Amino acid sequence: MSGGAGPTGECILSKPHRRDDSAGAEEHRASFMQRFLLGLSIAVCALAAAYPAAAQDESWMTDVTEQVGLADTRGFRIFVADLNGDFYPDLILHDGRIMQNKQIRVFMNVLKPGAWTHHDRTFVDFTEESNINVGRVAGLDGRQTELLTFADLDNDGDLDAASGMWYWDSNDYDDVGHRHEILLNDGTGRFTLVEESGLPNIGLVPATQMAWLDFDMDGVLDLYVATFSPNHALGIFHHDLLLRGDGTGKFTDMSFPAGLGDEAWPNYGGNVTDWNNDGWPDLISSPYCRNSGNLWRNNGDGTFTEASAEANYSAQHMQGDNGQTMCQWEALPADFDNDGDMDLAQILVHGGLGNIEGRTTLAVNGGAEMGYRYEWERERLRRKMPASTHLGDQDAVWFDLENDGLLDLVVSQSVYIQQTDRMYIFNQNDDHTFDDITGALGLITEIQSTHAMEPIDFDLDGDDDLLIAKWRRGSWEPENRDRVVMLRNDVAHKNNWIAVGLQPKNAGTNRSAIGARIAVHTGDRTQIRDIQAGRGHFGGQQPFIRNFGLGGAAKVDSIVVRWPHAGFPTTTVIDPPINEIAIITEDGYDRTITSVDGQEFAEDAGELNIFPNPAAGSCRINIPASLKGERLELRVTDMLGRTLLTQRPAQAAREIVLNTAQLPAGMYHVQLISGGGATAAGRLVVRGE
């Protein structure tokens, strides 16, 4: 092995040969000294290459872990869901103790004491109150839980949970009676085990993913379970599971009648998406090395057909580093190129950087014209040094960092080369290629040894922040690696946005609207998002309120919602307000809401609607109905409370036009004050010319 800097500062490394050890846990026992020397060589190369010094003029992401109450909080897997119905996303964390009891912690998202705006949030530990670890095995305190997923399975208006357990090999697993479980929520984030859910009857089957769907469109949620190997060493595999719900918390195994029982392979994840735009949810498995994976097409009659060849879906189109077989951790659906169909980010382990080596890639959907076939396009993701020569990519998420209307991709890796395993933030360009901007953001060292992550708009300000779980893999790594990190998004406010929350009320549609597709039309651009619950590898989950970046667009032409309901009815909302969270029902635009500790309030109760926001030159401010006809004063202050502008609108005015050209670029507090003392307020961002 050798390493050095090339004539252009580019790292040149020769790679040690690796045997194909993907069959089991032996891959995690590589020589510490070999990894250390390789990592040291790469680190020297990275310094010689002078990793991009062209940092952004201002911080794009800020570590606010301590400010939001999560300092020194352990995290291994992340689930995000609104457990108490106040619209703010709460956190459910797996603490990293594999195959043990009481691994789950719950943190509720609450208003920070002394906050001046409802966006000032913090997280408080709610684990004991939640009963999330309650077990049914006599004499044992708690329950083994490796993964969770949340949805309103009984259609009573709150999010319930499915809990899955996992083990590596039945020969080494001490079976004390833990099984998969269903837990019902009382609406406050407190859970109760369902006594006869049907899930424990499945037996000792290790799960690597659970995802909700309504596969037969009866308005009641069902459950897809991706499974691993009951005995991996002996090649004893198990088919994936499809469990039909009855709306009370009880489930029936429909795997064989639905057609899934015909394939038995070890999977390390799974996803649900409408692959071919026919409205029916399809299933995608992520194979653990032994096969190429399955894409199950929903036939719309309660059965599925294996369609991976038809879709050209495979994790094995190429071999990886030194010809090694690649394993897939997840296949994440998203319409990243805004062409109206779901593409995939296939997250592959054992990849290499060479021209003839496979690695994590984007599988681009060819749409109706090409029969919805997927094609690998490896070169769209452009990594920068430092980069591991043997890629241990294991988790990823899509989110729009800049709210520019183009989804970005974050990929994490760990396990193989500790000095260079890290997270990659891939920023999408207009031509739908992606550049690694992690170094330019100053995050190279901060986000090493990442394990899982989720986008989370924890403060409901219209942009996705990022929560990261860092995994301390051994005693050689600093203790502060084993924790979660909250990175607040500080760049997206420069662009406009709209967020959409769905609240179906018609019989025949599940109350979580899982399987719904939201399309936001702005000019010549259309963005689509699906409502999902449970994604990828070991159950990661994101909030059901979906954010859409609008870039500089000052309006949304329309929002079209396709509902997960027999016949797939749609609802169209024309010209909705932007920079707000829009709640949509089957009847159309319902209201714009935020909340403080569960008490909803709308625009007329204190929140100003300012648009465009950010503003350049001027903006318009709607006068709330409760203040119309009053004698009003508009007051603009900076963040220190200093008054910079005042304006008195006409008493009959319906809106105010504010000249922002006289304000320096920055963030401002805007108040509208009536003669009687009533106020409405909002935040205004002014762009520099």
Side-chain angles (χ1 to χ4, degrees):
M1 177 182 66
S2 63
T8 63
E10 183 178 351
C11 253
I12 302 171
L13 290 172
S14 61
K15 296 181 292 185
H17 176 72
R18 286 183 176 80
R19 62 187 176 86
D20 185 352
D21 61 355
S22 60
E26 191 63 29
E27 63 187 6
H28 300 296
R29 303 183 184 125
S31 163
F32 172 84
M33 183 58 68
Q34 181 187 33
R35 289 186 287 124
F36 174 78
L37 291 174
L38 180 59
L40 181 61
S41 178
I42 292 173
V44 170
C45 282
L47 289 174
Y51 193 85
Q56 306 296 334
D57 292 336
E58 56 184 303
S59 173
W60 279 26
M61 306 193 83
T62 302
D63 185 343
V64 294
T65 311
E66 184 173 355
Q67 293 93 309
V68 299
L70 296 174
D72 301 319
T73 300
R74 294 183 62 184
F76 182 63
R77 299 186 179 115
I78 300 170
F79 317 94
V80 181
D82 174 15
L83 298 183
N84 61 356
D86 68 352
F87 301 102
Y88 286 90
D90 307 304
L91 300 182
I92 306 93
L93 303 177
H94 184 292
D95 68 10
R97 296 174 299 117
I98 304 298
M99 294 183 290
Q100 297 184 36
N101 294 353
K102 303 182 72 171
Q103 304 127 287
I104 306 301
R105 295 182 68 185
V106 174
F107 295 85
M108 302 301 281
N109 185 339
V110 302
L111 190 68
K112 186 179 293 185
W116 69 273
T117 168
H118 60 85
H119 297 298
D120 291 341
R121 314 298 296 182
T122 190
F123 292 92
V124 297
D125 196 321
F126 193 71
T127 307
E128 290 303 316
E129 296 90 333
S130 74
N131 298 319
I132 195 70
N133 291 306
V134 64
R136 69 169 74 248
V137 180
L140 287 181
D141 180 20
R143 183 183 79 259
Q144 178 188 334
T145 303
E146 302 295 346
L147 62 111
L148 289 159
T149 185
F150 297 87
D152 188 358
L153 64 90
D154 54 3
N155 287 332
D156 67 349
D158 53 48
L159 299 188
D160 312 297
S163 160
M165 46 82 63
W166 174 88
Y167 57 88
W168 178 264
D169 192 322
S170 59
N171 290 333
D172 299 324
Y173 180 68
D174 183 17
D175 180 14
V176 298
H178 297 304
R179 295 295 185 268
H180 311 305
E181 298 284 2
I182 295 293
L183 300 92
L184 295 182
N185 188 347
D186 69 355
T188 68
R190 294 170 171 85
F191 292 89
T192 304
L193 279 178
V194 176
E195 289 299 324
E196 301 293 337
S197 71
L199 265 67
N201 299 337
I202 296 168
L204 193 63
V205 178
T208 54
Q209 170 62 324
M210 289 178 162
W212 296 103
L213 74 161
D214 184 359
F215 79 92
D216 50 5
M217 294 297 163
D218 64 352
V220 176
L221 287 174
D222 314 300
L223 194 61
Y224 165 57
V225 183
T227 67
F228 191 60
S229 313
N231 191 311
H232 202 72
L234 296 180
I236 300 175
F237 308 141
H238 197 283
H239 61 81
D240 285 355
L241 300 166
L242 183 67
L243 308 174
R244 183 176 183 179
D246 71 353
T248 70
K250 299 180 181 179
F251 291 81
T252 302
D253 188 352
M254 300 294 292
S255 307
F256 280 95
L260 269 64
D262 298 335
E263 297 270 354
W265 296 104
N267 289 317
Y268 234 34
N271 254 307
V272 178
T273 192
D274 177 12
W275 146 66
N276 58 359
N277 284 359
D278 65 355
W280 295 95
D282 309 302
L283 309 176
I284 301 177
S285 70
S286 289
Y288 191 79
C289 306
R290 294 303 195 274
N291 78 324
S292 58
N294 297 112
L295 189 153
W296 297 97
R297 183 183 66 233
N298 191 329
N299 299 318
D301 59 2
T303 67
F304 290 78
T305 298
E306 210 291 315
S308 56
E310 175 186 347
N312 194 35
Y313 170 70
S314 174
Q316 307 275 354
H317 283 312
M318 297 180 67
Q319 298 298 292
D321 178 22
N322 284 315
Q324 184 160 331
T325 299
M326 289 187 295
C327 305
Q328 183 171 289
W329 259 230
E330 49 193 337
L332 297 175
D335 182 19
F336 77 89
D337 50 8
N338 293 332
D339 66 351
D341 49 50
M342 285 297 174
D343 312 296
L344 299 173
Q346 293 188 230
I347 310 306
L348 298 163
V349 174
H350 304 310
L353 296 174
N355 291 333
I356 61 172
E357 294 178 328
R359 54 186 171 270
T360 289
T361 184
L362 299 185
V364 180
N365 192 327
E369 182 178 348
M370 303 300 295
Y372 297 101
R373 286 177 60 83
Y374 286 113
E375 297 294 340
W376 276 20
E377 298 191 10
R378 292 176 306 143
E379 302 309 316
R380 286 186 186 255
L381 299 179
R382 304 192 288 224
R383 298 177 192 250
K384 290 186 178 180
M385 296 300 289
S388 297
T389 55
H390 187 83
L391 301 175
D393 300 344
Q394 63 181 38
D395 194 24
V397 291
W398 294 100
F399 83 128
D400 186 352
L401 173 61
E402 300 158 274
N403 269 351
D404 61 357
L406 296 171
L407 285 172
D408 307 303
L409 183 68
V410 185
V411 177
S412 73
Q413 62 180 199
S414 59
V415 171
Y416 295 104
I417 306 176
Q418 68 183 55
Q419 284 76 15
T420 50
D421 288 341
R422 64 177 176 93
M423 194 169 77
Y424 294 82
I425 299 178
F426 291 108
N427 187 237
Q428 186 174 175
N429 303 307
D430 289 340
D431 63 356
H432 306 305
T433 60
F434 294 75
D435 285 323
D436 175 9
I437 64 169
T438 321
L441 297 182
L443 294 173
I444 286 291
T445 57
E446 175 60 27
I447 55 179
Q448 287 182 306
S449 301
T450 51
H451 183 261
M453 75 282 286
E454 292 293 346
I456 169 175
D457 185 5
F458 73 90
D459 47 7
L460 292 187
D461 65 350
D463 57 52
D464 283 324
D465 311 293
L466 190 64
L467 183 66
I468 304 165
K470 300 173 67 171
W471 180 29
R472 182 175 182 244
R473 297 162 297 177
S475 59
W476 61 85
E477 292 194 325
E479 290 188 6
N480 65 2
R481 287 270 176 92
D482 195 12
R483 63 186 179 92
V484 297
V485 175
M486 180 73 82
L487 297 178
R488 186 185 64 210
N489 189 331
D490 287 336
V491 66
H493 66 79
K494 294 183 177 181
N495 285 315
N496 290 323
W497 57 275
I498 191 168
V500 179
L502 303 181
Q503 291 193 346
K505 56 186 181 181
N506 292 349
T509 303
N510 72 85
R511 288 286 296 274
S512 292
I514 289 168
R517 177 163 291 182
I518 305 168
V520 172
H521 301 275
T522 304
D524 59 358
R525 172 175 289 172
T526 296
Q527 301 177 63
I528 64 174
R529 306 273 198 279
D530 285 353
I531 304 299
Q532 296 174 282
R535 62 98 188 153
H537 170 65
F538 279 85
Q541 179 153 342
Q542 300 166 15
F544 293 156
I545 293 176
R546 291 292 192 253
N547 288 339
F548 294 80
L550 304 178
K555 68 186 296 290
V556 167
D557 298 322
S558 66
I559 300 172
V560 179
V561 178
R562 186 189 70 190
W563 299 97
H565 184 105
F568 308 111
T570 61
T571 298
T572 301
V573 176
I574 304 297
D575 195 21
I578 65 171
N579 299 322
E580 302 284 356
I581 302 171
I583 300 300
I584 296 175
T585 72
E586 291 94 338
D587 296 333
Y589 179 83
D590 188 70
R591 65 199 189 281
T592 296
I593 69 169
T594 51
S595 68
V596 176
D597 290 346
Q599 301 299 313
E600 297 181 23
F601 64 96
E603 173 190 334
D604 283 350
E607 187 79 0
L608 283 178
N609 185 14
I610 305 172
F611 59 97
N613 192 4
S618 67
C619 67
R620 293 183 293 167
I621 302 170
N622 283 345
I623 297 177
S626 59
L627 296 181
K628 284 185 172 72
E630 298 273 347
R631 294 185 180 275
L632 301 173
E633 179 181 90
L634 181 72
R635 186 178 302 164
V636 180
T637 62
D638 63 17
M639 292 296 103
L640 297 178
R642 296 175 297 195
T643 300
L644 303 181
L645 285 176
T646 60
Q647 188 171 328
R648 296 184 183 276
Q651 198 163 345
R654 299 177 60 86
E655 68 175 26
I656 302 167
V657 177
L658 178 65
N659 178 10
T660 61
Q662 53 195 316
L663 294 170
M667 183 177 293
Y668 299 91
H669 185 48
V670 181
Q671 286 182 296
L672 197 56
I673 306 168
S674 76
T679 63
R683 288 191 296 179
L684 168 66
V685 175
V686 175
R687 282 179 173 170
E689 294 296 334

